[in-house]
CSV table of all heavy atoms in Angstrom, one decimal:
chain,number,residue,atom,x,y,z
A,71,GLU,N,-14.3,85.4,-18.7
A,71,GLU,CA,-13.8,86.5,-18.0
A,71,GLU,C,-12.7,86.1,-17.0
A,71,GLU,O,-11.7,86.6,-16.8
A,71,GLU,CB,-14.9,87.3,-17.3
A,71,GLU,CG,-14.4,88.6,-16.7
A,71,GLU,CD,-15.6,89.4,-16.1
A,71,GLU,OE1,-16.7,88.9,-16.0
A,71,GLU,OE2,-15.3,90.6,-15.7
A,72,GLU,N,-13.1,85.0,-16.2
A,72,GLU,CA,-12.1,84.5,-15.2
A,72,GLU,C,-10.9,83.9,-15.9
A,72,GLU,O,-9.8,84.1,-15.4
A,72,GLU,CB,-12.8,83.3,-14.4
A,72,GLU,CG,-12.0,82.6,-13.4
A,72,GLU,CD,-11.6,83.5,-12.2
A,72,GLU,OE1,-12.3,84.5,-12.0
A,72,GLU,OE2,-10.7,83.1,-11.4
A,73,ALA,N,-11.0,83.2,-17.0
A,73,ALA,CA,-9.8,82.7,-17.7
A,73,ALA,C,-8.9,83.8,-18.2
A,73,ALA,O,-7.7,83.7,-18.1
A,73,ALA,CB,-10.3,81.8,-18.9
A,74,PHE,N,-9.5,84.9,-18.8
A,74,PHE,CA,-8.7,86.0,-19.2
A,74,PHE,C,-8.0,86.7,-18.1
A,74,PHE,O,-6.7,87.0,-18.2
A,74,PHE,CB,-9.6,87.0,-20.0
A,74,PHE,CG,-9.6,86.8,-21.4
A,74,PHE,CD1,-10.5,86.0,-22.0
A,74,PHE,CD2,-8.7,87.5,-22.3
A,74,PHE,CE1,-10.5,85.7,-23.4
A,74,PHE,CE2,-8.7,87.3,-23.6
A,74,PHE,CZ,-9.6,86.5,-24.2
A,75,GLU,N,-8.6,86.8,-16.9
A,75,GLU,CA,-7.9,87.4,-15.8
A,75,GLU,C,-6.7,86.6,-15.4
A,75,GLU,O,-5.7,87.1,-15.0
A,75,GLU,CB,-8.9,87.6,-14.7
A,75,GLU,CG,-10.0,88.7,-15.0
A,75,GLU,CD,-11.1,88.7,-13.9
A,75,GLU,OE1,-11.1,87.8,-13.0
A,75,GLU,OE2,-11.9,89.7,-14.0
A,76,ARG,N,-6.9,85.2,-15.3
A,76,ARG,CA,-5.8,84.4,-14.9
A,76,ARG,C,-4.7,84.4,-15.9
A,76,ARG,O,-3.5,84.2,-15.6
A,76,ARG,CB,-6.3,82.9,-14.8
A,76,ARG,CG,-7.2,82.7,-13.7
A,76,ARG,CD,-7.5,81.3,-13.4
A,76,ARG,NE,-8.5,81.0,-12.4
A,76,ARG,CZ,-8.7,79.8,-11.7
A,76,ARG,NH1,-7.9,78.8,-12.1
A,76,ARG,NH2,-9.6,79.7,-10.8
A,77,ALA,N,-5.0,84.7,-17.2
A,77,ALA,CA,-4.0,84.8,-18.3
A,77,ALA,C,-3.3,86.2,-18.3
A,77,ALA,O,-2.4,86.4,-19.1
A,77,ALA,CB,-4.6,84.5,-19.6
A,78,GLY,N,-3.8,87.1,-17.4
A,78,GLY,CA,-3.1,88.4,-17.3
A,78,GLY,C,-3.7,89.5,-18.2
A,78,GLY,O,-3.1,90.4,-18.5
A,79,ALA,N,-5.0,89.3,-18.7
A,79,ALA,CA,-5.6,90.2,-19.5
A,79,ALA,C,-7.1,90.4,-19.1
A,79,ALA,O,-7.6,89.9,-18.1
A,79,ALA,CB,-5.6,89.7,-21.0
A,80,GLU,N,-7.8,91.3,-19.8
A,80,GLU,CA,-9.2,91.6,-19.6
A,80,GLU,C,-10.0,91.2,-20.9
A,80,GLU,O,-9.5,91.4,-22.0
A,80,GLU,CB,-9.4,93.0,-19.2
A,80,GLU,CG,-8.8,93.4,-17.9
A,80,GLU,CD,-9.2,94.9,-17.5
A,80,GLU,OE1,-10.0,95.5,-18.3
A,80,GLU,OE2,-8.7,95.4,-16.5
A,81,LEU,N,-11.2,90.7,-20.7
A,81,LEU,CA,-12.1,90.5,-21.8
A,81,LEU,C,-12.7,91.7,-22.2
A,81,LEU,O,-13.5,92.4,-21.5
A,81,LEU,CB,-13.1,89.4,-21.4
A,81,LEU,CG,-14.1,89.0,-22.4
A,81,LEU,CD1,-13.5,88.3,-23.6
A,81,LEU,CD2,-15.2,88.1,-21.8
A,82,ARG,N,-12.4,92.2,-23.5
A,82,ARG,CA,-12.9,93.5,-23.9
A,82,ARG,C,-13.8,93.4,-25.2
A,82,ARG,O,-14.7,94.2,-25.4
A,82,ARG,CB,-11.7,94.4,-24.2
A,82,ARG,CG,-11.0,94.8,-22.9
A,82,ARG,CD,-10.1,96.0,-23.2
A,82,ARG,NE,-9.3,96.4,-22.0
A,82,ARG,CZ,-8.0,96.1,-21.8
A,82,ARG,NH1,-7.4,95.4,-22.8
A,82,ARG,NH2,-7.4,96.5,-20.7
A,83,THR,N,-13.4,92.5,-26.1
A,83,THR,CA,-14.0,92.6,-27.5
A,83,THR,C,-14.8,91.3,-27.8
A,83,THR,O,-14.6,90.3,-27.1
A,83,THR,CB,-12.9,92.7,-28.6
A,83,THR,OG1,-12.1,91.5,-28.6
A,83,THR,CG2,-12.0,93.9,-28.3
A,84,GLY,N,-15.7,91.4,-28.8
A,84,GLY,CA,-16.4,90.3,-29.2
A,84,GLY,C,-15.6,89.2,-29.8
A,84,GLY,O,-15.8,88.0,-29.7
Side-chain angles (χ1 to χ4, degrees):
E71 186 175 13
E72 177 72 16
F74 264 85
E75 289 173 354
R76 294 192 185 194
E80 292 183 7
L81 179 64
R82 294 194 180 101
T83 68

